[in-house]
Amino acid sequence: VVTLKEARPLLADQLTHVVANAANANIATALRETRDDLIGNHGGVPPKNGALDKLNSNDPVSAITKLQSAISFLAQAESAGAGDLTALKDMLGLVAEGIATDTYLAAKARFPNPSPGQAKTLATIAALLVQGHQQLVAHQYAAACDSFKLAANKASVMLK
């Protein structure tokens, strides 16, 4: 699993290249929106509203939400004629899975001897991760991100 920090420059470069070669304005707009969700836009200088910014501010759920939005914009670009962007959608989905998994592992490490309630919550999170992974493999990106967000949220609550 690649981290968002590792994937960000690669994905941003790919998106910049694809935007530059976009066949029409609708494709270019959707791809720019994808890039903005990933790396932020200049609503602040430096940008503070991209997925990595959310992750750096210890908000894994918002980071996954940004990735989910980016995937949605890639789907819009595809429907506008951008061609097959499955590899980019898969990469963003894997990053979302990695964020949720890291949050789960942090919660699990905090409770090496969990109470029955904590153990139940950890098991629920693990099941959500498996469900999200299966959805991701089936290219059900929105559903996968929803599962990952729910898992990350439950784990984040445990970490507070």
Side-chain angles (χ1 to χ4, degrees):
V1 174
V2 67
T3 68
L4 181 55
K5 286 182 183 181
E6 296 165 344
R8 181 181 160 198
L10 172 68
L11 291 168
D13 288 348
Q14 285 180 344
L15 288 167
T16 299
H17 177 71
V18 175
V19 168
N21 295 314
N24 67 51
N26 290 337
I27 294 171
T29 298
L31 293 171
R32 274 193 292 279
E33 293 289 343
T34 300
R35 189 179 57 203
D36 287 350
D37 279 334
L38 179 63
I39 64 173
N41 59 31
H42 292 288
V45 179
K48 295 290 184 195
N49 58 351
L52 183 59
D53 300 311
K54 299 300 181 186
L55 190 57
N56 286 339
S57 66
N58 200 28
D59 189 352
V61 175
S62 291
I64 295 169
T65 299
K66 286 289 192 177
L67 292 168
Q68 184 176 26
S69 176
I71 292 168
S72 175
F73 283 118
L74 286 174
Q76 284 181 19
E78 283 179 326
S79 68
D84 185 6
L85 300 174
T86 300
L88 287 171
K89 293 186 292 186
D90 286 345
M91 176 67 82
L92 292 175
L94 287 171
V95 171
E97 182 176 11
I99 292 168
T101 300
D102 284 350
T103 309
Y104 162 70
L105 292 174
K108 189 174 177 183
R110 175 152 310 160
F111 301 101
N113 299 307
S115 69
Q118 292 163 338
K120 183 177 178 180
T121 300
L122 289 168
T124 299
I125 296 167
L128 285 165
L129 292 172
V130 169
Q131 175 180 308
H133 181 76
Q134 291 168 343
Q135 292 163 325
L136 186 58
V137 168
H139 302 290
Q140 299 169 347
Y141 300 106
C145 286
D146 286 341
S147 295
F148 297 144
K149 285 190 295 188
L150 189 53
N153 185 59
K154 288 182 175 298
S156 294
V157 168
M158 290 185 78
L159 291 169
K160 290 182 182 180

